[in-house]
Amino acid sequence: QSVLTQPPSVSGAPGQRVTISCTGSSYNIGAGYAVHWYQQVPGTGPKLLIYANDNRPLGVPDRFSGSKSGTSASLAISGLQAEDEADYYCQSYDSSLSGSVFGGGTKLTVL
Amino acid sequence: EVQLLESGGGLVQPGGSLRVFCAASGFTFSSHAMTWVRQAPGKGLEWVSGISTGGDTTYYADSVKGRFTISRDNSRNTLFLQMNSLRAEDTAVYYCATGQDGFWRYDSWGQGTLVTVSS
């Protein structure tokens, strides 16, 4: 059971928009700690996709966007492409655990 | 370009010990906090441990506290994770990671090293 809750899977057709939710608590997201998102293609290390809730590192397409409200955060991917098929993880800091926490991961399938 | 290269993984018996390494290059290693994150086969990411730039501050997940020790050698640009009293549930790919903003954000990751705990 992960501290941050994500849906196990989402899917969409090429060109569509999908969102992935990440629900936490008053000890992490709700306490104002930043939420970061990572993309992981199976067999490779994760890649930072969104940092500090809604910021994109250099090189990440603007099709990827993040938001945060209350105890939850969301990752939106618009204009779905085949290469977006991967696992996505949210991550934040948890004050009750004094450490990082990750969501359980969401597998994105591009139909 | 930031490069993180893990090594030292392998097969170890339950109750045994193993030390994994992360060789860093392409950035000022001594100026960045470092982190270990693991991923059990077919499972999600789990934060394991973090260490400050000088090594004087460390953090551990409850699941490894008292068994794992994180350390670093800034003169060799190397991060270590000493793992003792290993259990089957410690079987995972171990990634080292670092970021631009302290302990809790991971901009760069290695490719990982597999640790298998089995008799």
Coordinates of all heavy atoms in Angstrom, one line a residue, chain B residues 51-111:
Chain B
I51 N 21.6 11.0 1.6 CA 22.7 11.5 2.3 C 23.1 13.0 1.8 O 22.9 13.3 0.6 CB 24.0 10.6 2.1 CG1 25.1 11.0 3.0 CG2 24.4 10.5 0.6 CD1 26.2 10.0 3.0
S52 N 23.5 13.8 2.8 CA 23.8 15.2 2.5 C 25.1 15.3 1.8 O 25.8 14.3 1.6 CB 23.8 16.0 3.8 OG 24.8 15.5 4.6
T53 N 25.4 16.5 1.3 CA 26.6 16.7 0.5 C 27.9 16.3 1.3 O 28.7 15.7 0.7 CB 26.7 18.2 0.2 OG1 26.7 19.0 1.4 CG2 25.6 18.7 -0.8
G54 N 27.9 16.6 2.5 CA 29.1 16.3 3.3 C 29.1 14.9 4.0 O 30.0 14.5 4.6
G55 N 27.9 14.3 3.9 CA 27.8 13.0 4.5 C 27.3 13.0 6.0 O 27.2 11.9 6.6
D56 N 27.1 14.2 6.5 CA 26.9 14.2 8.0 C 25.4 14.0 8.3 O 25.0 13.8 9.5 CB 27.3 15.6 8.5 CG 26.8 16.8 7.7 OD1 26.8 16.7 6.5 OD2 26.3 17.7 8.4
T57 N 24.5 14.1 7.3 CA 23.1 13.9 7.5 C 22.6 12.8 6.6 O 22.9 12.8 5.4 CB 22.3 15.2 7.2 OG1 22.7 16.2 8.1 CG2 20.8 14.9 7.4
T58 N 21.9 11.8 7.2 CA 21.4 10.7 6.5 C 20.0 10.4 6.8 O 19.5 10.7 7.9 CB 22.2 9.4 6.7 OG1 22.2 9.1 8.1 CG2 23.7 9.5 6.2
Y59 N 19.2 9.8 5.9 CA 17.9 9.5 6.1 C 17.7 8.0 5.6 O 18.3 7.6 4.6 CB 16.9 10.4 5.3 CG 17.0 11.8 5.7 CD1 17.8 12.7 5.1 CD2 16.1 12.3 6.7 CE1 17.8 14.1 5.4 CE2 16.2 13.6 7.1 CZ 17.0 14.5 6.4 OH 17.0 15.9 6.8
Y60 N 16.8 7.3 6.2 CA 16.5 5.9 5.9 C 15.0 5.6 5.9 O 14.3 6.1 6.8 CB 17.2 4.9 6.8 CG 18.7 5.0 6.8 CD1 19.4 5.8 7.7 CD2 19.4 4.3 5.8 CE1 20.8 5.9 7.7 CE2 20.8 4.4 5.8 CZ 21.5 5.2 6.7 OH 22.9 5.3 6.6
A61 N 14.6 4.8 5.0 CA 13.2 4.3 5.1 C 13.1 3.3 6.2 O 14.1 2.6 6.6 CB 12.9 3.5 3.8
D62 N 12.0 3.2 6.9 CA 11.8 2.3 8.0 C 12.1 0.9 7.6 O 12.6 0.1 8.5 CB 10.4 2.4 8.5 CG 10.1 3.7 9.2 OD1 11.0 4.4 9.6 OD2 8.9 4.0 9.4
S63 N 11.9 0.5 6.4 CA 12.1 -0.9 6.0 C 13.6 -1.3 6.0 O 13.9 -2.5 6.0 CB 11.5 -1.1 4.6 OG 12.1 -0.2 3.6
V64 N 14.5 -0.3 6.0 CA 15.9 -0.7 5.9 C 16.7 -0.1 7.1 O 17.9 -0.4 7.3 CB 16.6 -0.2 4.6 CG1 15.8 -0.7 3.4 CG2 16.7 1.3 4.6
K65 N 16.0 0.7 8.0 CA 16.7 1.3 9.1 C 17.3 0.3 10.0 O 16.7 -0.7 10.4 CB 15.7 2.2 9.8 CG 16.3 3.3 10.7 CD 15.2 4.2 11.2 CE 14.6 5.0 10.1 NZ 13.6 6.0 10.6
G66 N 18.6 0.5 10.3 CA 19.3 -0.4 11.2 C 20.0 -1.5 10.5 O 20.8 -2.2 11.0
R67 N 19.7 -1.7 9.2 CA 20.4 -2.8 8.4 C 21.2 -2.2 7.3 O 22.2 -2.8 6.9 CB 19.3 -3.7 7.8 CG 18.4 -4.4 8.8 CD 17.5 -5.4 8.1 NE 16.6 -4.8 7.1 CZ 16.5 -5.1 5.9 NH1 17.3 -6.1 5.4 NH2 15.7 -4.5 5.0
F68 N 20.8 -1.1 6.7 CA 21.5 -0.4 5.6 C 22.2 0.8 6.1 O 21.7 1.5 6.9 CB 20.5 0.0 4.5 CG 19.9 -1.2 3.7 CD1 20.0 -2.5 4.1 CD2 19.3 -0.9 2.5 CE1 19.5 -3.5 3.4 CE2 18.7 -2.0 1.8 CZ 18.8 -3.3 2.2
T69 N 23.4 1.1 5.4 CA 24.1 2.3 5.7 C 24.5 3.0 4.4 O 25.2 2.4 3.6 CB 25.4 2.0 6.6 OG1 25.0 1.4 7.8 CG2 26.1 3.3 6.9
I70 N 24.2 4.2 4.3 CA 24.6 5.0 3.1 C 25.8 5.8 3.5 O 25.9 6.3 4.6 CB 23.4 5.9 2.7 CG1 23.7 6.6 1.3 CG2 23.1 7.0 3.7 CD1 22.5 7.4 0.7
S71 N 26.7 6.0 2.5 CA 27.9 6.8 2.7 C 28.4 7.3 1.4 O 27.9 6.9 0.3 CB 29.0 6.0 3.5 OG 29.4 4.9 2.7
R72 N 29.4 8.2 1.4 CA 29.9 8.7 0.2 C 31.4 9.1 0.4 O 31.8 9.4 1.5 CB 29.1 10.0 -0.2 CG 29.2 11.1 0.7 CD 28.1 12.2 0.4 NE 28.4 12.8 -0.9 CZ 27.5 13.5 -1.6 NH1 26.3 13.7 -1.1 NH2 27.8 14.1 -2.8
D73 N 32.1 9.1 -0.7 CA 33.5 9.5 -0.8 C 33.6 10.6 -1.8 O 33.6 10.3 -3.0 CB 34.4 8.3 -1.1 CG 35.9 8.7 -1.1 OD1 36.2 9.9 -1.1 OD2 36.7 7.8 -1.0
N74 N 33.6 11.8 -1.4 CA 33.6 13.0 -2.3 C 34.9 13.1 -3.1 O 34.9 13.6 -4.2 CB 33.3 14.3 -1.6 CG 31.8 14.4 -1.2 OD1 31.0 13.7 -1.7 ND2 31.6 15.3 -0.3
S75 N 36.0 12.5 -2.6 CA 37.2 12.5 -3.3 C 37.2 11.6 -4.5 O 38.0 11.7 -5.4 CB 38.4 12.2 -2.4 OG 38.3 10.9 -1.9
R76 N 36.4 10.6 -4.4 CA 36.3 9.6 -5.5 C 35.0 9.7 -6.2 O 34.7 8.8 -7.1 CB 36.4 8.2 -4.9 CG 37.8 7.9 -4.3 CD 37.8 6.6 -3.4 NE 37.2 5.5 -4.0 CZ 36.9 4.4 -3.4 NH1 37.1 4.3 -2.1 NH2 36.3 3.3 -4.0
N77 N 34.2 10.7 -5.9 CA 32.8 10.9 -6.6 C 32.0 9.6 -6.6 O 31.4 9.2 -7.6 CB 33.0 11.3 -8.0 CG 33.6 12.7 -8.2 OD1 33.6 13.5 -7.2 ND2 33.9 13.1 -9.4
T78 N 32.0 9.0 -5.4 CA 31.3 7.7 -5.3 C 30.3 7.6 -4.1 O 30.7 8.1 -3.0 CB 32.3 6.5 -5.2 OG1 33.2 6.6 -6.3 CG2 31.6 5.2 -5.1
L79 N 29.2 7.0 -4.4 CA 28.2 6.8 -3.4 C 28.1 5.3 -3.1 O 28.3 4.5 -3.9 CB 26.8 7.3 -3.9 CG 25.6 7.1 -3.0 CD1 25.6 8.0 -1.8 CD2 24.3 7.3 -3.9
F80 N 27.9 5.0 -1.8 CA 27.8 3.6 -1.4 C 26.5 3.3 -0.6 O 25.9 4.2 -0.1 CB 29.0 3.3 -0.4 CG 30.3 3.7 -0.9 CD1 30.9 4.9 -0.5 CD2 31.1 2.9 -1.7 CE1 32.1 5.3 -0.9 CE2 32.3 3.2 -2.2 CZ 32.9 4.4 -1.8
L81 N 26.1 2.0 -0.7 CA 25.1 1.5 0.2 C 25.5 0.2 0.7 O 25.6 -0.8 -0.1 CB 23.7 1.4 -0.6 CG 22.5 1.0 0.3 CD1 22.2 2.1 1.2 CD2 21.3 0.7 -0.6
Q82 N 25.8 0.1 2.0 CA 26.1 -1.1 2.7 C 24.8 -1.8 3.2 O 24.1 -1.2 3.9 CB 27.1 -0.9 3.8 CG 27.4 -2.1 4.6 CD 28.3 -3.1 3.9 OE1 29.2 -2.7 3.2 NE2 28.0 -4.4 4.0
M83 N 24.6 -3.0 2.7 CA 23.4 -3.7 3.0 C 23.7 -4.9 3.9 O 24.4 -5.8 3.4 CB 22.6 -4.1 1.8 CG 22.3 -2.8 0.9 SD 21.4 -3.3 -0.6 CE 22.7 -4.1 -1.5
N84 N 23.2 -5.0 5.1 CA 23.4 -6.1 6.0 C 22.1 -6.8 6.3 O 21.0 -6.2 6.1 CB 24.1 -5.7 7.3 CG 25.5 -5.0 7.0 OD1 26.2 -5.4 6.1 ND2 25.9 -4.1 7.9
S85 N 22.2 -8.0 6.9 CA 21.0 -8.7 7.3 C 20.0 -8.7 6.2 O 18.8 -8.4 6.4 CB 20.4 -8.1 8.6 OG 21.4 -8.1 9.6
L86 N 20.4 -9.1 5.0 CA 19.5 -9.0 3.8 C 18.4 -10.0 3.9 O 18.6 -11.1 4.4 CB 20.3 -9.1 2.5 CG 21.1 -7.9 2.1 CD1 22.2 -8.2 1.1 CD2 20.1 -6.8 1.5
R87 N 17.2 -9.6 3.4 CA 16.0 -10.4 3.4 C 15.6 -10.6 1.9 O 15.9 -9.8 1.0 CB 14.9 -9.7 4.2 CG 15.3 -9.3 5.6 CD 14.3 -8.4 6.1 NE 14.6 -7.9 7.5 CZ 14.1 -6.9 8.1 NH1 13.2 -6.2 7.5 NH2 14.4 -6.6 9.4
A88 N 14.7 -11.6 1.7 CA 14.2 -11.8 0.4 C 13.5 -10.6 -0.2 O 13.6 -10.3 -1.4 CB 13.2 -13.0 0.4
E89 N 12.8 -9.9 0.7 CA 12.1 -8.7 0.2 C 13.0 -7.5 -0.1 O 12.5 -6.5 -0.6 CB 11.1 -8.2 1.3 CG 11.6 -8.0 2.7 CD 11.5 -9.2 3.6 OE1 11.6 -10.4 3.1 OE2 11.2 -9.0 4.8
D90 N 14.3 -7.6 0.1 CA 15.2 -6.6 -0.4 C 15.6 -6.8 -1.8 O 16.4 -6.0 -2.4 CB 16.5 -6.6 0.5 CG 16.2 -6.2 1.9 OD1 15.5 -5.3 2.2 OD2 16.8 -6.9 2.8
T91 N 15.2 -7.9 -2.4 CA 15.5 -8.2 -3.8 C 14.9 -7.1 -4.7 O 13.7 -6.8 -4.6 CB 14.9 -9.5 -4.3 OG1 15.6 -10.6 -3.6 CG2 15.1 -9.7 -5.8
A92 N 15.8 -6.4 -5.5 CA 15.3 -5.2 -6.2 C 16.4 -4.7 -7.1 O 17.6 -5.1 -6.9 CB 14.8 -4.1 -5.3
V93 N 16.1 -3.9 -8.1 CA 17.1 -3.1 -8.8 C 17.3 -1.8 -7.9 O 16.3 -1.2 -7.5 CB 16.6 -2.7 -10.2 CG1 17.6 -1.7 -10.8 CG2 16.4 -3.9 -11.0
Y94 N 18.5 -1.5 -7.6 CA 18.9 -0.4 -6.8 C 19.4 0.8 -7.7 O 20.4 0.6 -8.4 CB 19.9 -0.7 -5.7 CG 19.3 -1.5 -4.6 CD1 18.9 -2.9 -4.8 CD2 19.0 -0.9 -3.4 CE1 18.3 -3.6 -3.8 CE2 18.4 -1.7 -2.3 CZ 18.0 -3.0 -2.6 OH 17.4 -3.7 -1.6
Y95 N 18.7 1.9 -7.7 CA 19.1 3.1 -8.4 C 19.7 4.1 -7.5 O 19.2 4.4 -6.4 CB 17.9 3.7 -9.1 CG 17.2 2.9 -10.1 CD1 16.0 2.2 -9.8 CD2 17.6 2.8 -11.4 CE1 15.3 1.4 -10.8 CE2 17.0 2.0 -12.4 CZ 15.8 1.4 -12.1 OH 15.2 0.6 -13.0
C96 N 20.8 4.8 -8.0 CA 21.2 6.0 -7.3 C 20.6 7.2 -8.1 O 20.4 7.1 -9.3 CB 22.7 6.1 -7.2 SG 23.7 6.3 -8.7
A97 N 20.4 8.3 -7.4 CA 19.8 9.4 -8.0 C 20.2 10.7 -7.3 O 20.7 10.7 -6.2 CB 18.2 9.3 -8.0
T98 N 20.1 11.8 -8.0 CA 20.5 13.1 -7.5 C 19.6 14.2 -8.1 O 18.9 13.9 -9.1 CB 22.0 13.4 -7.6 OG1 22.3 14.6 -6.9 CG2 22.3 13.7 -9.1
G99 N 19.6 15.3 -7.5 CA 18.8 16.4 -8.0 C 19.3 17.8 -7.7 O 20.3 17.9 -7.1
Q100 N 18.6 18.8 -8.2 CA 19.0 20.1 -8.1 C 18.5 20.8 -6.8 O 18.8 21.9 -6.5 CB 18.4 20.9 -9.3 CG 18.9 20.4 -10.7 CD 20.4 20.7 -10.8 OE1 21.0 21.6 -10.3 NE2 21.1 19.7 -11.5
D101 N 17.6 20.1 -6.1 CA 16.9 20.7 -5.0 C 16.9 19.9 -3.8 O 15.9 19.4 -3.3 CB 15.5 21.1 -5.4 CG 14.8 21.9 -4.4 OD1 15.4 22.6 -3.6 OD2 13.5 21.9 -4.4
G102 N 18.1 19.6 -3.2 CA 18.2 18.9 -1.9 C 17.9 17.4 -2.0 O 18.2 16.8 -3.1
F103 N 17.3 16.9 -1.0 CA 17.1 15.5 -0.9 C 15.9 14.9 -1.6 O 15.9 13.8 -2.0 CB 16.8 15.1 0.6 CG 18.0 15.2 1.5 CD1 18.3 16.4 2.2 CD2 18.9 14.1 1.6 CE1 19.4 16.5 3.0 CE2 20.0 14.2 2.5 CZ 20.3 15.4 3.2
W104 N 14.9 15.8 -1.9 CA 13.6 15.2 -2.2 C 13.1 15.4 -3.6 O 11.9 15.3 -3.9 CB 12.6 15.8 -1.2 CG 13.1 15.9 0.2 CD1 13.3 17.0 1.0 CD2 13.5 14.7 1.0 NE1 13.8 16.6 2.2 CE2 14.0 15.2 2.2 CE3 13.6 13.3 0.8 CZ2 14.4 14.4 3.2 CZ3 14.0 12.5 1.8 CH2 14.5 13.1 3.0
R105 N 14.1 15.6 -4.6 CA 13.7 15.7 -6.0 C 14.8 15.0 -6.8 O 16.0 15.3 -6.5 CB 13.5 17.1 -6.4 CG 13.4 17.3 -7.9 CD 13.3 18.8 -8.2 NE 14.1 19.2 -9.3 CZ 14.3 20.5 -9.7 NH1 13.9 21.5 -8.9 NH2 15.0 20.8 -10.7
Y106 N 14.5 14.2 -7.8 CA 15.5 13.4 -8.4 C 15.6 13.7 -9.9 O 14.9 13.1 -10.7 CB 15.3 11.9 -8.1 CG 15.0 11.7 -6.6 CD1 13.8 11.2 -6.2 CD2 15.9 12.1 -5.7 CE1 13.5 11.1 -4.8 CE2 15.6 12.0 -4.3 CZ 14.4 11.5 -3.9 OH 14.1 11.4 -2.6
D107 N 16.5 14.6 -10.3 CA 16.6 15.0 -11.7 C 17.3 13.9 -12.6 O 17.1 13.8 -13.8 CB 17.4 16.3 -11.8 CG 16.7 17.4 -11.1 OD1 16.6 17.4 -9.8 OD2 16.3 18.4 -11.7
S108 N 18.3 13.2 -11.9 CA 19.1 12.3 -12.7 C 19.2 11.0 -12.0 O 19.3 10.9 -10.8 CB 20.5 12.9 -12.9 OG 20.5 14.1 -13.5
W109 N 19.1 9.9 -12.8 CA 19.1 8.5 -12.3 C 20.1 7.7 -13.0 O 20.4 7.9 -14.2 CB 17.7 7.9 -12.5 CG 16.6 8.6 -11.8 CD1 16.1 9.8 -12.1 CD2 15.8 8.0 -10.8 NE1 15.0 10.1 -11.3 CE2 14.8 9.0 -10.5 CE3 15.8 6.8 -10.1 CZ2 13.8 8.8 -9.5 CZ3 14.8 6.6 -9.1 CH2 13.9 7.5 -8.8
G110 N 20.6 6.7 -12.4 CA 21.5 5.7 -13.0 C 20.6 4.6 -13.7 O 19.4 4.7 -13.7
Q111 N 21.3 3.6 -14.2 CA 20.6 2.5 -14.9 C 20.2 1.4 -13.9 O 19.4 0.5 -14.3 CB 21.4 2.0 -16.0 CG 22.4 0.9 -15.7 CD 23.5 1.3 -14.8 OE1 23.8 2.5 -14.7 NE2 24.1 0.3 -14.1

